[in-house]
Amino acid sequence: MKVVILAGGLKSAIDDYDEGIPKPMAEVGERPILWHIMKYFSSYGLNEFVICGGYKLDDIKEYFTDYYLYQSDITVDLSTNKVEIHEKRTEDWKVTIADTGLYSSVGGRVKRVEKYIDGEMFLVVYGDCLSDIDLDSLLAQHKTSGKMATICVARPTGRNRPLAVRDGLLLPDGETDRGGSGAWTDACCMVFNRNIFSCLPSECDLLEQLQKLAKKDEVGVYRHQGFWMPIETKRDKVYLEELIKKHGAPWIRWQ
């Protein structure tokens, strides 16, 4: 199963050092946010990724093209331009990096990578969020539900758009969760059946399209109660750096 990562937004302003690079390439714990996301999904055996790029796409391409150089010790003979790699270290990942446009909508980016999705299901995640979502449980719920889409929701952090959910389903706009379970928000992780592409115009707001499908009872909801955090500001990055120092990365199962 492939994991589509949305990494095409405009430049990062998370930190002075990171300013001017794609936000998913901003570093947390001396590794790009993108790397943390991929390492977590890989811990569940999901090793095929499609990265939807846009802003400074070449930065992302270069990182993965020379990935083993970044991870390994090297000796460079400047007289011959020969590079010797010592104890080459890399990952068991297959990474497709697609140019999905500089100003494309989220739905448009997903639509543009349809040709790279060869399975009946795939995941879509945002390139600036970290979490410890139980992916096995999420995928199992999606398969059992028979829905076209399942979105993962979490408790809002204070700046996210609330979503109304009830009985494991996304409610269309205008309805509220009368069950009293409190507000939820998009946790930036979704599972789709391949036929979702027939419902996505070339440019569209992905959440708006999901609201339309919700009216047809085609969108399930997975409630995530654990760690989830979008990385928007320098303050967010500082918080995560301190979390790593004290406890390790809670979103990385292999630590």
Side-chain angles (χ1 to χ4, degrees), residues 12-15 17-19 21-36 127 231 237:
S12 166
I14 293 174
D15 199 347
Y17 174 79
D18 295 324
E19 191 163 356
I21 66 173
K23 188 194 288 187
M25 295 304 294
E27 292 189 352
V28 172
E30 300 183 346
R31 302 273 192 165
I33 298 169
L34 187 58
W35 178 90
H36 285 286
I231 307 170
K237 178 175 177 177

Side-chain angles (χ1 to χ4, degrees), residues 31 39 63-75 83-93:
R31 302 273 192 165
K39 196 70 175 177
Y63 178 76
F64 287 103
T65 300
D66 296 334
Y67 184 85
Y68 64 94
L69 293 177
Y70 290 110
Q71 309 302 317
S72 307
D73 295 335
I74 65 172
T75 297
V83 179
E84 181 182 357
I85 303 170
H86 307 284
E87 297 181 4
K88 181 177 178 180
R89 294 189 295 272
T90 186
E91 306 287 350
D92 186 24
W93 299 345

